[in-house]
Structure formats: C-alpha cells, structure tokens
Amino acid sequence: MLVDLDYFFAQVEERRNPSIRDKPVVVCVYSGRTEESGVVSTANYIARRFGVRSGMPIILAKKRLKGVEAVFLPVDHDYYEEVSERVTTILRGNADDFERVGIDEAYLEVSRRVEGDFGRAAALAQLIKGEVRDREGLTCSVGVGPNKVVAKIAADAKKPDGLTVVRPGEVVPFLSPLPADSLIGVGKKTAERLEALGVKTIGDLANYDVQRLIECFGKSLGTYLHNASNGIDDEPVQERGEAESISRIATLKEDTLDLRGIIEVTDRLCKEIHESLVQRGLSFKSVGIVAVMKDLSIRTRSRTLESPTDDVGVLRGAVKELFERFLGESEIEARRVGVRVSGLVKGMETQRRLTSFF
DNA sequence: GTATGCTTTCGGC
DNA sequence: TTACGGCCGAAAGCATAC
C-alpha cells in the first residue's frame, strides 16, 4: 500500500489558515535573487486548475493567476516536517513493515495483517485515511496493489482524497493504457528515449523485447522497465537508514565565475552542513561541489579525503580547492552553488585516538 | 572475472 | 517571449584491487 499526502505543503498551509481554502494557494521557494525569483514547490488543486505546477517559475505562476485572488506563501519546511512526523507515526502503527519515501509519502506492507485479502486491505486503507483526517485534518490518496510499483501508480490514479485498489488479476489491464512515464524511474530523459523507440504506454513497454531494453538502457534499468511494465516487482518494504549524504545549495545574487564571491556563499553552506553533522554526531569522507550554470545545466565535482573528519576547516578547504579548479575550466557563469558531504560515518573516536597517538 | 570504490549524472519529491 | 529550488538516493561509467 502507498499513502501519499495530497498537495502536502499547500494542504498544511490551508489547515493552518482555513480562510485560504477556497483560493488558489501556491507554496514557493524564493531564491532571494529578486522579489519574485524562485519556483513553485506545491500548489493546491484550485491553483492547478489555472495551470500552476510544481517546479514552475513563480513569475509564471503569477501570470497564470493574473486577475485572480491567489495566495503565495514561502515554504516552511520545519513545520511541514513536524506534521509529517506525526502522520508517519499514525501510518507506521498500521503497517507490518514501513518505508517512508519522502516527507509526504510512505509504503505500508499490510499483507500479514490482512492475510493477503485485498478487500480487507481496502478497508484498512479507509481506516487509515480516516485516522489521518481525524487526527491531523489532512487528506491523502492511497494505492493498494500486489507490490510497490503497482501501489504507487494506483495511488496516482485518483487524487486528491482517493483510494484505488488493483488486485493481482487486474494489474496488466490497469497498467497497459498509462503513459510510460507513469512508472517511477521514468522521468523526462528516459521517456524521450522510449518515445524514440516507439514506446508511449506501459503496454508498449511490456511488449517490447527485453534484450533490446537492456541494450538501450543497461542491465539494471532495462530489466526494471521490463518487469515493472508487466506489473512485476519484488522490492521489499523496509525502513530506510540514516541519510547517506548531506547537502546545501544556494542561489547567487548574480551569475558569476568569481571565486571570492562564491567562497563567501559556500563558507556559509559549509557552516550549515557542519552544524548538521555535529548534531547527528557524524564525520564525512567525501566532499562534493555542485554548480547550476547560467543556462541551468548542472556540473559537479567531488573528491574523497584520506580519512573521515568532522572539521569545518577541512570542509571549507576542500570546497575552495574544488571550486578553484572548476571555475578555471568553466566558460559559462554559475547561477547557484552547493556543497555536499557523503561517506558519512558515526563519530570520530578512531581518528582522534590515532592523531593524538602520533 | 569479480568485487569494490570513486566521480558524475539522472530522477523523485 | 522569457521566466527557474533545494534537497535526497540510485546507478552508470570508470579505475583499481584481488
């Protein structure tokens, strides 16, 4: 079963201030470059009727809503996280196994508690929807299926406040007519490549030669596309561990290739990352930088240290070196810059003992 | 040949 | 007409070790 909270950020804002419920609500990530630069994070269904979509520039959303009384709000991520954690507790309590996928989505393995009965699973889904509504005042859309791939697509079938059950015998006819990019893992790039092969729907994909798919997309994605389009998926529902990387990114006041200006920004990002590391008692082994260029293309560079550390000075030094080298070879100006640490390990005990020993 | 590690890109939310 | 965030994980592609 997949539970997906409807238009989550905007719905939470509606709950916080019910007077906006009957208007278009657009939750935005303001980049700070100009008054209105940034993108739409989430919009409620009223705003969507005007063509407002996630990822759309704010200025374009305003154009779509010209002459309409609409509400534009900045994201309040800490608050959404709080609400999400309470909902997560409700959901986890209704599952044999649980997997939180993002801030607004989770897989629930319920086979054992419903003894494999899809009717009972549907009843449980209704119960969960009721509990989330009564306790948190939020609606969600639920998909029930024989595996994660099918449950996910089922949840997308009816939104908001939907419940879609796809029984094992119904899987292939349910999937067949849907566009190929309904499958998780098929984004814009993969959809374009599939289209070039004449594959438009999941049904086209299911009937396409597996060997060809593997030749075009590699073994992993190729076999996945074949199996998933045929409704076959045996990925387990399981709790995810701690984050494997921590990153921060910021938009520059203006596009530039100037090292000093960029380091001023990345030093702040390094400080934030360091605070997060200290809070979680982690050290890092790899340091990466990312630059979103003027043309919105993305470049990354990274390097691995000789040993893990939690030293913010080491982090800043590595970031500076990476940018120094990168900016030297770049012809186009950077718009946004970011820092990422990975290879996270608990604590620093071993390293400290070694350094103090030598 | 197989396993493992590192860098980079892609996709989801 | 254009317009444009901030995260995260997965995996491809490559190099090196065994």
Side-chain angles (χ1 to χ4, degrees):
Chain A
M1 179 187 298
L2 180 96
V3 179
D4 185 352
L5 291 159
D6 297 319
Y7 63 103
F8 183 51
F9 297 176
Q11 200 191 352
V12 170
E13 294 295 348
E14 287 180 354
R15 189 190 71 167
R16 173 147 71 177
N17 177 5
S19 73
I20 65 176
R21 293 194 74 124
D22 55 349
K23 300 172 192 158
V25 175
V26 186
V27 179
C28 303
V29 183
Y30 291 98
S31 70
R33 170 169 287 206
T34 68
E35 193 75 10
E36 295 186 326
S37 71
V39 300
V40 173
S41 180
T42 321
N44 68 359
Y45 280 77
I46 303 177
R48 291 181 199 192
R49 284 212 295 273
F50 290 90
V52 175
R53 295 287 180 270
S54 295
M56 171 182 279
I58 294 164
I59 194 78
L60 181 51
K62 295 212 160 166
K63 199 169 158 181
R64 298 270 166 97
L65 287 165
K66 200 152 66 183
V68 182
E69 193 192 345
V71 180
F72 286 79
L73 297 168
V75 287
D76 183 353
H77 212 273
D78 291 347
Y79 182 56
Y80 310 146
E81 190 62 53
E82 250 179 59
V83 176
S84 171
E85 276 170 28
R86 289 201 299 269
V87 174
T88 294
T89 303
I90 295 172
L91 300 181
R92 189 179 273 119
N94 282 289
D96 304 323
D97 299 299
F98 183 78
E99 179 175 349
R100 189 180 187 223
V101 183
I103 193 165
D104 65 349
E105 210 176 299
Y107 288 102
L108 282 65
E109 174 59 74
V110 299
S111 302
R112 296 194 285 288
R113 64 182 60 201
V114 303
E115 295 174 333
D117 181 327
F118 277 73
R120 287 176 64 186
L124 176 58
Q126 284 293 7
L127 200 112
I128 291 169
K129 282 164 66 74
E131 198 175 345
V132 172
R133 184 192 299 265
D134 296 343
R135 306 240 307 255
E136 288 299 328
L138 296 171
T139 66
C140 53
S141 295
V142 180
V144 177
N147 56 53
K148 293 208 287 187
V149 162
V150 175
K152 169 73 180 167
I153 300 179
D156 288 337
K158 185 166 186 291
K159 287 182 165 187
D161 203 12
L163 169 55
T164 304
V165 182
V166 179
R167 289 170 174 77
E170 305 164 342
V171 168
V172 171
F174 171 73
L175 294 179
S176 277
L178 301 173
D181 63 4
S182 316
L183 278 179
I184 184 167
V186 179
K188 190 156 165 275
K189 301 259 179 179
T190 308
E192 274 169 20
R193 291 170 63 194
L194 285 170
E195 177 103 42
L197 300 175
V199 173
K200 292 194 179 68
T201 66
I202 295 182
D204 296 340
L205 193 52
N207 293 319
Y208 207 84
D209 183 66
V210 203
Q211 290 310 322
R212 282 269 154 70
L213 287 176
I214 292 173
E215 281 165 31
C216 293
F217 297 96
K219 184 156 192 192
S220 172
L221 185 55
T223 40
Y224 167 77
L225 291 173
H226 176 72
N227 288 331
S229 60
N230 284 285
I232 297 164
D233 170 33
D234 52 15
E235 286 303 306
V237 173
Q238 54 185 344
E239 294 276 356
R240 302 205 175 178
E242 297 296 295
E244 289 170 17
S245 71
I246 299 174
S247 62
R248 292 291 183 272
I249 185 165
T251 302
L252 300 166
K253 276 288 174 200
E254 52 199 23
D255 300 346
T256 183
L257 278 175
D258 174 56
L259 180 65
R260 307 229 165 283
I262 285 173
I263 293 304
E264 238 178 77
V265 174
T266 57
D267 274 355
R268 280 199 295 274
L269 302 178
C270 288
K271 179 167 173 260
E272 287 181 30
I273 288 174
H274 181 250
E275 280 165 6
S276 175
L277 286 167
V278 170
Q279 211 164 41
R280 302 185 215 183
L282 295 171
S283 291
F284 56 94
K285 193 151 175 280
S286 291
V287 177
I289 60 164
V290 55
V292 180
M293 314 310 288
K294 192 194 186 87
D295 65 357
L296 301 184
S297 64
I298 298 168
R299 316 286 163 82
T300 63
R301 295 289 184 271
S302 69
R303 97 170 232 230
T304 296
L305 307 173
E306 276 151 28
S307 61
T309 178
D310 62 0
D311 188 322
V312 69
V314 172
L315 178 56
R316 287 192 172 124
V319 167
K320 186 174 177 190
E321 270 183 40
L322 287 165
F323 267 112
E324 219 155 22
R325 241 184 301 162
F326 168 72
L327 295 172
E329 3 175 297
S330 178
E331 265 110 68
I332 169 174
E333 293 165 320
R335 176 185 178 90
R336 301 160 61 201
V337 292
V339 178
R340 184 171 186 173
V341 296
S342 56
L344 304 180
V345 290
K346 212 75 180 168
M348 285 251 343
E349 282 9 79
T350 316
Q351 288 70 35
R352 276 205 229 290
R353 265 207 297 282
L354 283 174
T355 43
S356 53
F357 180 77
F358 294 114

